[in-house]
Amino acid sequence: MIDHARLRRLDLNLLHSLDSLLRERNVSRAAASVGVSQPVMSAALARLRRHFDDELLVRRGNQYELTSLAKQLGPAVTDALRAVDRVIGAKTSFDRSTEHEFTVVCSEVVAAMLLPRLCLAMQEAAPATTLRVVEPGQLRGVDIADHLAASVDGVFLPHGWLSGLESIDVLVDQWVFAVSIDDPAERLDLDDLNTRPWVVAQVGDREVARGMQQVLSAGVRPRTEVIVSGSMSMPFFLRNSRRVAVMGRRLIEEMGQLYGIREIPGPWELDTLRTAFWWHQSRRDDPAHRWLRTLVHDVRDARGAQAAAAE
């Protein structure tokens, strides 16, 4: 429930001052960033200190440091200002001549495969727009659904990670085994998987990628030599070595020759990987978001479109 009495006690215009103070950590710079005088910003800081019963900014020598409460407030203030901006700027259609920043969460592999086309389409249709790309690792410990409702326009993630959200299928891939391009082997058997050194990708706190989970569930006990975060760095540890890895076929098809890696058959076929663009239902009727979804739909990979049509 919204505490309306508490809202009445605080001039919401002070949120802009608070946001600037937390970012600049300096009264003079904060004043300049919002276009007011230093005395006005000092007065705003005094009011904020009384409201929160906290110093917020504490002088340490020649500079200010944020208090513990101020550090906690930073992300919440940013999200609140974005939400207010969406409310007061609500329109029936998206004005493509205005500046607008879209924020999406996306792994580096999907970003390389899909987002350049999305960015090109955005710039051709609305040159004043900006695309901000956030890696999923930056959301660790955060409820992604809540983050989508607050400050993120959408997230590109495989099926199985999220539920109860609307989505568009954008990319279909296949987990495969990979080795160095000069590896003499023609295929890998179960003994190879248990004796060769491995490069393993983690996607969270000690959680391995889904394709690797399938290998582990088959009873393989890999001799792990390298652990990486994400897939883009895996080829550098595969080439010129006897290591093996599980990664997406699309990355190998597009960059295998450049990276010096290749796909190799294994004891069994690995699972299909379907990535979708997910968004919170609160964004459904927002004109800017409808426009973004249209672009995502138009630039999605052909195989992703075929998978969606088959359902």
Side-chain angles (χ1 to χ4, degrees):
M1 295 291 291
I2 297 175
D3 190 335
H4 293 283
R6 184 165 59 188
L7 286 175
R8 286 194 296 270
R9 291 195 298 268
L10 178 67
D11 181 355
L12 292 183
N13 288 320
L14 287 176
L15 284 178
H16 290 284
S17 298
L18 178 58
D19 180 61
S20 183
L21 286 164
L22 297 180
R23 282 187 290 101
E24 300 293 345
R25 303 188 185 192
N26 180 281
V27 175
S28 298
R29 291 198 300 269
S33 70
V34 298
V36 300
S37 66
Q38 181 174 335
V40 169
M41 184 58 69
S42 295
L45 176 58
R47 293 177 63 187
L48 289 164
R49 283 170 167 168
R50 288 195 298 271
H51 176 82
F52 290 107
D53 191 23
D54 187 90
E55 286 296 297
L56 301 177
L57 294 177
V58 179
R59 183 180 288 277
R60 295 282 188 265
N62 295 325
Q63 60 185 12
Y64 285 99
E65 293 182 0
L66 300 182
T67 65
S68 296
L69 176 62
K71 293 177 182 178
Q72 296 175 34
L73 288 174
V77 171
T78 299
D79 290 345
L81 287 174
R82 287 175 175 168
V84 170
D85 183 64
R86 288 199 302 270
V87 171
I88 63 177
K91 298 178 181 178
T92 57
S93 62
F94 177 51
D95 183 355
R96 290 182 287 177
S97 67
T98 60
E99 294 185 1
H100 192 97
E101 181 177 281
F102 294 98
T103 301
V104 299
V105 178
C106 187
S107 70
E108 53 192 2
V109 173
V110 176
M113 300 292 177
L114 186 70
L115 293 198
R117 295 202 303 273
L118 177 60
C119 188
L120 178 61
M122 287 177 59
Q123 290 302 303
E124 289 179 343
T129 57
T130 302
L131 181 65
R132 179 183 294 274
V133 183
V134 179
E135 292 185 3
Q138 297 183 35
L139 298 186
R140 290 179 184 174
V142 176
D143 187 300
I144 294 180
D146 289 344
H147 214 64
L148 282 169
S151 60
V152 174
D153 291 286
V155 54
F156 293 87
L157 279 178
H159 284 265
W161 285 80
L162 297 171
S163 61
L165 296 175
E166 299 179 42
S167 65
I168 301 171
D169 279 348
V170 295
L171 192 69
V172 175
D173 202 353
Q174 180 83 29
W175 292 111
V176 297
F177 296 99
V179 294
S180 176
I181 201 168
D182 57 4
D183 194 300
E186 295 183 1
R187 66 180 302 112
L188 299 174
D189 58 24
L190 192 59
D191 185 61
D192 290 321
L193 300 186
N194 279 296
T195 57
R196 277 182 177 244
W198 277 80
V199 182
V200 176
Q202 287 187 347
V203 293
D205 294 333
R206 298 187 178 279
E207 184 175 1
V208 297
R210 296 298 174 92
M212 193 64 198
Q213 290 179 18
Q214 185 181 356
V215 172
L216 296 176
S217 66
V220 174
R221 294 297 175 260
R223 183 164 62 88
T224 304
E225 280 193 354
V226 183
I227 299 174
V228 298
S229 177
S231 299
M232 290 297 284
S233 62
M234 297 181 82
F236 301 105
F237 295 99
L238 283 177
R239 65 188 183 190
N240 303 320
S241 78
R242 293 191 66 258
R243 300 184 184 114
V244 61
V246 169
M247 48 194 308
R249 174 176 285 157
R250 302 294 298 277
L251 182 64
I252 300 174
E253 288 178 345
E254 297 206 17
M255 302 181 182
Q257 286 290 331
L258 176 65
Y259 283 162
I261 61 172
R262 65 179 176 90
E263 178 183 342
I264 186 171
W268 58 84
E269 187 174 277
L270 299 175
D271 290 338
T272 298
L273 175 65
R274 291 173 51 213
T275 297
F277 177 66
W278 309 79
W279 65 89
H280 195 272
Q281 62 184 10
S282 63
R283 303 296 183 99
R284 179 187 303 159
D285 299 321
D286 176 70
H289 202 275
R290 287 202 306 266
W291 179 80
L292 174 66
R293 296 197 305 266
T294 298
L295 290 188
V296 171
H297 181 276
D298 290 345
V299 305
R300 62 182 175 161
D301 181 77
R303 287 180 237 184
Q306 292 169 1
E311 292 185 342

